[in-house]
Amino acid sequence: MKDVRVTHIGGPTALIEVGGWRILTDPTFDPPGRRYSFGWGTGSRKRTGPARRADDLGPIDAVLLSHDHHADNLDEAGRAVLAGVPVLLTTRAGARRLAGVSADVRGLRPWEESVLRAPGRAPISVTATPCRHGPPLSRPIVGPVVGFALQWPGQEHGVLWVTGDTVLAPALREVPRRLAVDTVLLHLGGVRFPLTGPIRYSLTGRRAVELCALVRPRTIIPVHYEGWEHFREGRAEVERAFAAAPDGLGDRLRWLPLPAGG
């Protein structure tokens, strides 16, 4: 299983294809225009729709859901997708809330592992990685989030890591100690809300550079940077941050085109 194809659908949503597996991350397929409440007086409007409709994706073998309680990671159309998916991996709390929505709902804490298996395909090991979706002590407000590290037989250079929505918390520094990362799907956006001023709830370009300098992936794929009004840093800000990064780190950025058809 050497060849990996990643298709960015919009926001955090991406389709990962490897070894016959088709794995979807954080399904968001609602059309643009609606405003969503995120709780505690925060909210956001969706500005752009998905680059591809859910109906056009074909069969999905598994969904990796970093968290279920924010609509920019799981919206109403995304929830409809879950009903037809054999396996759903998410947080422990999310698995309790989504029990029964898919045939096999698995809740993971950071560093817990689950294996995707199917006849005729090599297994894929999925390890949950830590996230902190806001400042210190914010978890009771923002809720639990996990990332995912994917490993499979024949993987030459290291794991494929989906960071999930996170800031550069101390727990993320454990990732390069435990995992050799080849490709990272990097959740960005520098999320802020007027109610909480300068506090960030996802990686800025500058913090993303710090994280990637620790992890040293060969390929960096930005996601979760466009399509919503609470995303405060887009492609231009991220490119500037990586252009100033040492050791040619910016050369590892790969901006995936959003395919036509949304």
Side-chain angles (χ1 to χ4, degrees):
M1 296 205 303
K2 295 181 180 180
D3 294 331
V4 181
R5 179 180 179 183
V6 179
T7 303
H8 187 199
I9 294 168
T13 309
L15 177 64
I16 301 167
E17 297 174 271
V18 58
W21 290 95
R22 306 181 81 248
I23 300 171
L24 191 67
T25 68
D26 286 357
T28 55
F29 291 96
D30 281 0
R34 177 177 167 183
R35 184 171 183 83
Y36 300 78
S37 172
F38 295 155
W40 300 87
T42 64
S44 182
R45 189 176 305 279
K46 191 171 187 179
R47 289 176 169 168
T48 61
R52 185 172 294 175
R53 297 189 317 164
D55 292 344
D56 296 332
L57 287 182
I60 301 298
D61 299 302
V63 166
L64 308 179
L65 179 60
S66 66
H67 58 302
D68 68 300
H69 49 281
H70 294 152
D72 59 324
N73 295 84
L74 181 67
D75 57 21
E76 290 186 7
R79 287 177 183 270
V81 169
L82 299 182
V85 173
V87 181
L88 168 62
L89 276 64
T90 188
T91 63
R92 286 287 186 94
R96 289 193 294 270
R97 288 189 289 263
L98 296 170
V101 72
S102 296
D104 183 358
V105 181
R106 307 177 191 177
L108 300 175
R109 293 190 181 97
W111 302 119
E112 290 184 334
E113 180 183 344
S114 185
V115 180
L116 301 176
R117 302 183 189 275
R121 300 180 205 163
I124 294 184
S125 172
V126 182
T127 301
T129 58
C131 293
R132 196 184 75 203
H133 199 4
L137 306 179
S138 64
R139 178 170 169 165
I141 297 174
V142 300
V145 181
V146 291
F148 303 96
L150 280 61
Q151 303 178 69
W152 54 82
Q155 207 169 29
E156 292 186 357
H157 301 289
V159 305
L160 189 159
W161 180 34
V162 183
T163 65
D165 287 8
T166 188
V167 297
L168 185 55
L172 267 73
R173 300 179 186 275
E174 188 69 17
V175 171
R177 298 189 187 110
R178 295 190 182 217
L179 302 170
V181 177
D182 177 68
T183 300
V184 58
L185 269 64
L186 192 62
H187 285 221
L188 295 160
V191 166
R192 285 191 304 159
F193 297 100
L195 183 69
T196 52
I199 293 174
R200 302 282 185 170
Y201 296 89
S202 67
L203 288 169
T204 62
R206 185 168 65 88
R207 292 301 190 189
V209 167
E210 291 183 44
L211 177 60
C212 290
L214 293 171
V215 176
R216 307 302 298 178
R218 290 197 317 149
T219 304
I220 302 165
I221 300 175
V223 297
H224 195 272
Y225 64 87
E226 43 65 49
W228 290 80
E229 66 181 12
H230 66 302
F231 293 178
R232 300 304 178 91
E233 288 195 6
R235 176 168 177 166
E237 290 83 0
V238 175
E239 286 182 331
R240 281 197 296 270
F242 274 88
D247 301 327
L249 199 60
D251 295 336
R252 306 181 188 192
L253 275 179
R254 297 292 182 268
W255 296 93
L256 299 183
L258 291 168

